Amino acid sequence: MGTDASTSADQLAILHELEKKVLWLASWTIHHANHLRESTDDLKVGGHQASSASLATIMTALYFRALRPQDRVAVKPHASPIYHAIQYLFGRQSRQKLEDFRGYKGAQSYPSRTKDTDDVDFSTGSVGLGVAQTLFSSLVQDYVRAHGWGLERPEGRMIALVGDAELDEGNIFEAILEGWKQGLRNCWWIIDYNRQSLDAVIREGLWARYEALFQAFGWDVVILKYGSLLNEAFSEPGGERLRQWIDNCPNQLYSALVFQGGAAWRRRLLDEIGDQGPVTRLIEARSDEELARLMTNLAGHDLPSLLEAFGKVDHDRPICFICYTIKGFGLPFAGHKDNHAGLMTPAQVESLRKAMHVRPGHEWDKFEGLSIAPDTLQTFLDHVPFTEGARRHHAARLPAPAQLPVTIQPVMSTQAGFGALLNELGREQTELADRIVTTSPDVTVSTNLGPWVNRRGLFAREKLADTFKSERIPSTFNWDFSPKGQHIELGIAEMNLFTLLSALGLSHAINGERLIPIGTLYDPFIQRGLDALNYACYQEARFILVATPSGLSLAPEGGAHQSIATPLIGIAQDGLAAFEPAFVDELAAILVFAFDYVQRAGESESSERNWLRDETGGSVYLRLSTRPIEQIKREMTPELRQSIVDGAYWLRKPGPNCQVVVAYTGAVAPEAIQAVGLMAEDRRDVGLLAVTSADRLNAGWTAAQRARERGLVHARSHIEKLLADVPSHCGIVSVLDGHPATLAWLGAVHGHRVRPLGIEHFGQTGSIPDLYRHYGIDANAVVAAAATLTPGRPIRHLKALP
Ligand SMILES: Cc1ncc(C[n+]2csc(CCOP(=O)(O)OP(=O)(O)O)c2C)c(N)n1
Ligand SMILES: [Mg+2]
């Protein structure tokens, strides 16, 4: 299973040359990006330099030798210049983009699946997320293959290049725990153990903690510490003493000596272990330069050691490689603790240029200054295993149903509706239903996924029967695990939920097999996994997120369990279409849309119909509620279905003399309806606007405005059309169980006065009526707002507000 372990001397010589070239190209790219310094943050440009150099050798060994096309890699954010340089040598990155590194439409600062054009596998940038994503991608690969899909393609390894300080991020450890539970395979994490973070040199002996930790979770740990030069020196007389000295040398001191160079090494070593005997001879036999090369010959910068270690792996167990490296290796500030922001001065770049034999004006030439003939190098590059095979896959779209059957109870919550809809889906043998995979961080049952799971089973690579069932103990739930199961049970960590959704939602591109992932969690805990959600969207993973219960309607749960900000997240999060239906028939229409929308990948032109970028597709967020509300008996017409998806419709169309419109979202529908009834006698032609997606309404509105500003004078968004006939003197009272700003912008569409009601402060325990009254989103509050907003006689049914 390993790549051909042996690397010939010729190949090794070529790889050494490429290693140098990669470092040069990356350094030149960063130097070039300095033209942006005036307008950007020096410290951040510099962040790439030393950090990249640290990984140059490891990435050379991987990309030019060890990787196969089916492998996928998450590259440490600051190593992006090395990544882009390697792709440049493969002919997959343009010189222009390198010259524009960090500039407009240039190669991205941090590797990006979507913004870069050179085949990035996982977007990284927020440290820790890319690392965990490889683990979950590996689980997804197993899921796909266990279902009998994609077996004609070889199994890939999911590999993360991890900064040692990156391991401070807790989400990595949450992932490790989940990986252990799920029987993780085919996952390599290669730790760039340069013992430096951004600000500091790391604690002594951290590697030993990592070793114990990874082993505890079933990983193999391979420590790559000494390079081949050091190993040879250790076998000389006095060598053992040198090894002991290195092993005991504090990280800070080692770094400082690396920075100071050969003479400093000599002084220090002779002072501390010089014996006028073999050790002294070992040291004295080397020039300053040779001594510096020896002492910095850590395995992470030693191609033979790395090639051997990677090449000899012949199993699929997860492996953590701890590779000793030097931050800034090969550059003037190697080892300096301040080097994170280290930008080379023009003079330093000049001396690097000389050392690399690069002539002025030939900085971008691929083989400039190398001692092997260009033809030989090109032939080698043309046959690198990594480039011999397709890497980005496509999967056909699955037909989405035109409608979803569901029995709607007279009184029902959207969460119960969701459970019923999935239960119906689970009953049918459709291609779509077979490709749905659900997951939930320990809230499967409490988010109403139970009936679906009963039908479709839990996923595990090995069968595992539900003991309660085999013991004939009555239980509502059948918790059988099998390779054909369609629900992935997760532990509580929400970061893992979002990272798994990200991995599942990229399966069409990574595994060539489409999945329709649905993840459920409690709405307030979106914030716990928000960064992972953001990165999932950023890399265009496709999934449906069902967040329930939500808001104050979680009443007795109290305080911070009641989400306030999530509707605004729904509006602001790119790549995520957010909906908050009130009724189950709305939810069914939205789900139909969602099954199709998550599979779209067209051009991003706005459609004239609603001014949304619907062809682009994206993920979907459904904010649902446990509050049972009276359902409306009605026929789902195509127009209604379309309006629900576009974001709003008139539940009661305002008449020509309308004085007030109530616009509501979600679970407060009964309050809005009741308020309209209470006002009917004292305000004319009151309108009731059901807003199913503030997000899509708002996006369409801003897009239509932009289109008009660009000359498309007839552009009209859905909300502009809906409010077009509402008289200008009319007021709008908006209300939702979430932050009032979600709907406050409605007044700006045509200049209506608006009074936005919603939740601004943490709630407390209580019943729904208690809390709605307390926070001012009950029918009385709506009527009071309307009375104040619009002139006219007192509204008789307005009770005294508490
Ligand atoms: C979540 C997050 N927090 C902070 C940062 C800023 N940052 C970028 S790299 C880095 C530390 C780098 O240390 P390490 O992972 O050891 O990489 P090295 O610089 O040694 O290559 C930090 C704090 C970030 N990118 N993401
Ligand atoms: Mg580091």
Side-chain angles (χ1 to χ4, degrees):
M1 198 194 281
T3 45
D4 175 8
S6 61
T7 303
S8 70
D10 284 352
Q11 287 172 327
L12 189 59
I14 291 174
L15 289 167
H16 273 300
E17 293 290 275
L18 292 174
E19 177 194 9
K20 270 196 275 177
K21 184 47 68 182
V22 163
L23 181 60
W24 163 257
L25 283 170
S27 305
W28 186 246
T29 301
I30 295 162
H31 177 63
H32 223 264
N34 286 351
H35 68 271
L36 296 170
R37 283 176 72 180
E38 279 170 32
S39 57
T40 60
D41 179 350
D42 286 19
L43 295 174
K44 292 221 165 54
V45 188
H48 296 277
Q49 186 69 82
S51 183
S52 275
S54 186
L55 266 175
T57 324
I58 291 171
M59 288 176 71
T60 300
L62 283 174
Y63 280 92
F64 294 118
R65 186 82 185 112
L67 292 181
R68 306 150 309 165
Q70 64 269 29
D71 299 330
R72 298 286 181 278
V73 190
V75 177
K76 180 184 81 169
H78 278 121
S80 76
I82 297 283
Y83 178 82
H84 295 311
I86 289 172
Q87 298 302 321
Y88 178 68
L89 290 173
F90 283 144
R92 293 174 171 188
Q93 176 61 291
S94 71
R95 170 173 164 179
Q96 189 62 50
K97 287 200 184 278
L98 289 189
E99 288 188 22
D100 293 341
F101 175 60
R102 294 174 67 95
Y104 184 59
K105 302 233 166 163
Q108 297 290 295
S109 317
Y110 306 114
S112 171
R113 257 190 89 80
T114 47
K115 305 285 175 202
D116 275 317
T117 50
D118 56 350
D119 198 26
V120 171
D121 292 326
F122 301 110
S123 301
T124 60
S126 180
V127 296
L129 297 181
V131 183
Q133 175 111 13
T134 58
L135 182 151
F136 286 103
S137 277
S138 199
L139 298 182
V140 171
Q141 175 174 261
D142 278 346
Y143 179 92
V144 166
R145 297 175 77 85
H147 285 76
W149 303 318
L151 295 174
E152 68 284 4
R153 279 185 280 272
E155 213 165 70
R157 287 195 181 107
M158 305 296 163
I159 299 172
L161 298 171
V162 191
D164 44 7
E166 196 166 5
L167 282 162
D168 286 334
E169 290 288 359
N171 80 289
I172 294 180
F173 299 96
E174 297 174 3
I176 293 175
L177 186 53
E178 200 59 52
W180 170 76
K181 289 187 215 160
Q182 311 271 353
L184 175 68
R185 310 182 303 137
N186 292 313
C187 188
W188 289 6
W189 286 358
I190 301 172
I191 300 177
D192 173 10
Y193 195 58
N194 61 21
R195 289 146 290 134
Q196 280 188 258
S197 64
L198 219 150
D199 290 338
V201 175
I202 64 169
R203 292 281 177 280
E204 300 303 324
L206 191 58
W207 63 272
R209 306 291 169 287
Y210 291 157
E211 184 185 33
L213 199 139
F214 277 91
Q215 282 173 346
F217 288 101
W219 292 56
D220 284 17
V221 177
V222 176
I223 296 176
L224 297 172
K225 185 164 184 183
Y226 307 113
S228 38
L229 289 180
L230 273 172
N231 275 324
E232 280 161 29
F234 295 155
S235 61
E236 288 176 29
E240 197 40 46
R241 191 73 194 86
L242 179 67
R243 181 209 292 268
Q244 284 165 9
W245 185 88
I246 295 179
D247 284 348
N248 292 327
C249 182
N251 290 333
Q252 289 251 23
L253 177 60
Y254 210 89
S255 296
L257 289 169
V258 167
F259 177 71
Q260 289 169 305
W265 280 115
R266 184 180 307 283
R267 260 194 318 277
R268 195 78 189 202
L269 287 170
L270 288 175
D271 265 8
E272 297 203 357
I273 52 173
D275 58 356
Q276 305 305 323
V279 180
T280 302
R281 272 198 297 282
L282 190 156
I283 297 164
E284 293 297 355
R286 287 157 171 93
S287 67
D288 280 358
E289 199 181 314
E290 285 167 342
L291 192 58
R293 186 161 353 118
L294 175 70
M295 297 304 288
T296 56
N297 177 240
L298 302 181
H301 297 300
D302 189 64
L303 276 172
S305 308
L306 294 168
L307 293 169
E308 196 209 332
F310 297 150
K312 76 177 180 199
V313 176
D314 60 358
H315 58 81
D316 63 7
R317 292 190 299 279
I319 309 178
C320 168
F321 293 94
I322 301 179
C323 298
Y324 278 73
T325 54
I326 289 165
K327 190 160 167 176
F329 184 72
L331 302 176
F333 36 61
H336 197 294
K337 71 179 168 57
D338 301 343
N339 67 10
H340 189 77
L343 266 175
M344 283 194 279
T345 62
Q348 287 173 326
V349 175
E350 269 315 298
S351 59
L352 186 67
R353 178 214 295 285
K354 289 209 180 85
M356 297 281 184
H357 309 293
V358 173
R359 290 166 297 164
H362 293 265
E363 292 87 355
W364 297 110
D365 294 3
K366 283 189 184 171
F367 305 127
E368 172 75 5
L370 301 184
S371 58
I372 295 175
D375 283 356
T376 313
L377 292 168
Q378 190 59 55
T379 309
F380 177 88
L381 286 174
D382 290 344
H383 293 94
V384 164
F386 181 65
T387 61
E388 297 189 325
R391 301 203 69 256
R392 284 225 177 177
H393 300 298
H394 297 279
R397 272 158 76 163
L398 306 167
Q403 55 192 47
L404 293 170
V406 62
T407 308
I408 299 178
Q409 310 294 338
V411 176
M412 200 173 189
S413 69
T414 45
Q415 175 174 315
F418 166 70
L421 279 157
L422 270 207
N423 185 29
E424 288 299 326
L425 264 168
R427 191 198 296 275
E428 293 170 26
Q429 290 305 319
T430 61
E431 213 187 334
L432 182 92
D434 290 347
R435 294 280 175 153
I436 290 177
V437 47
T438 54
T439 183
S440 185
D442 207 25
V443 290
T444 303
V445 173
S446 46
T447 56
N448 276 40
L449 268 179
W452 158 266
V453 178
N454 276 345
R455 290 194 188 283
R456 295 287 174 151
L458 291 116
F459 171 73
R461 277 196 296 118
E462 315 277 323
K463 256 188 166 16
L464 186 68
D466 184 338
T467 311
F468 275 72
K469 195 171 89 181
S470 50
E471 292 292 320
R472 297 175 192 281
I473 302 171
S475 159
T476 328
F477 299 106
N478 171 10
W479 234 237
D480 278 333
F481 289 84
S482 86
K484 294 281 177 265
Q486 284 182 251
H487 178 75
I488 300 178
E489 188 189 42
L490 282 180
I492 309 170
E494 284 77 15
M495 289 295 279
N496 282 343
L497 169 75
F498 288 112
T499 315
L500 173 59
L501 286 176
S502 184
L504 289 165
L506 285 174
S507 176
H508 53 283
I510 289 180
N511 302 307
E513 297 294 332
R514 190 174 293 281
L515 299 173
I516 308 284
I518 302 179
T520 68
L521 86 167
Y522 294 173
D523 194 56
F525 302 126
I526 285 182
Q527 283 157 199
R528 182 66 168 257
L530 198 50
D531 201 21
L533 170 63
N534 188 42
Y535 266 73
C537 293
Y538 179 47
Q539 45 197 332
E540 285 184 357
R542 297 304 176 80
F543 51 88
I544 299 171
L545 178 65
V546 179
T548 179
S550 59
L552 210 60
S553 309
L554 245 174
E557 293 276 307
H561 254 59
Q562 300 162 352
S563 55
I564 296 173
T566 47
L568 294 175
I569 292 171
I571 288 183
Q573 179 62 55
D574 193 12
L576 191 69
F579 293 89
E580 186 167 354
F583 303 106
V584 175
D585 61 352
E586 295 172 351
L587 174 63
I590 293 165
L591 257 187
V592 166
F593 166 79
F595 285 138
D596 192 62
Y597 185 72
V598 295
Q599 302 188 62
R600 296 180 195 167
E603 290 305 310
S604 63
E605 283 303 301
S606 298
S607 86
E608 295 213 0
R609 195 181 54 73
N610 58 10
W611 293 94
L612 291 166
R613 302 189 310 167
D614 272 355
E615 296 72 17
T616 313
S619 289
V620 173
Y621 158 34
L622 306 176
R623 188 175 190 250
L624 305 184
S625 171
T626 38
R627 183 184 188 200
I629 65 173
E630 198 178 320
Q631 302 290 302
I632 304 171
K633 275 210 170 69
R634 58 184 165 184
E635 192 194 340
M636 182 54 64
T637 62
E639 297 74 39
L640 179 57
R641 181 182 291 280
Q642 189 61 61
S643 297
I644 289 167
V645 165
D646 287 347
Y649 63 93
W650 287 113
L651 201 53
R652 186 173 195 271
K653 207 169 160 51
N657 300 314
C658 169
Q659 290 176 295
V660 184
V661 163
V662 176
Y664 76 90
T665 280
V668 296
E671 282 64 29
I673 293 169
Q674 193 192 1
V676 169
L678 292 174
M679 288 188 274
E681 292 169 29
D682 300 306
R683 289 293 181 277
R684 281 194 300 276
D685 293 350
V686 179
L688 182 59
L689 187 69
V691 177
T692 45
S693 173
D695 175 29
R696 283 170 60 82
L697 273 191
N698 182 270
W701 175 52
T702 49
Q705 290 177 93
R706 220 172 12 248
R708 288 199 291 274
E709 287 151 16
R710 290 175 185 167
L712 293 167
V713 290
H714 299 298
R716 288 289 175 282
S717 61
H718 186 57
I719 188 65
E720 286 168 320
K721 289 184 226 163
L722 284 170
L723 296 182
D725 296 330
V726 176
S728 56
H729 64 265
C730 185
I732 300 176
V733 178
S734 66
V735 60
L736 81 156
D737 181 359
H739 197 276
T742 311
L743 295 175
W745 58 274
L746 284 175
V749 174
H750 287 312
H752 295 106
R753 277 167 304 136
V754 67
R755 165 69 172 105
L757 302 178
I759 314 298
E760 292 159 281
H761 303 291
F762 295 119
Q764 49 188 308
T765 50
S767 68
I768 287 181
D770 286 343
L771 297 183
Y772 280 15
R773 186 173 3 96
H774 183 88
Y775 289 95
I777 58 169
D778 63 351
N780 267 340
V782 174
V783 173
T788 312
L789 195 61
T790 56
R793 64 172 177 232
I795 298 175
R796 276 165 284 173
H797 291 287
L798 177 57
K799 295 177 210 147
L801 287 170

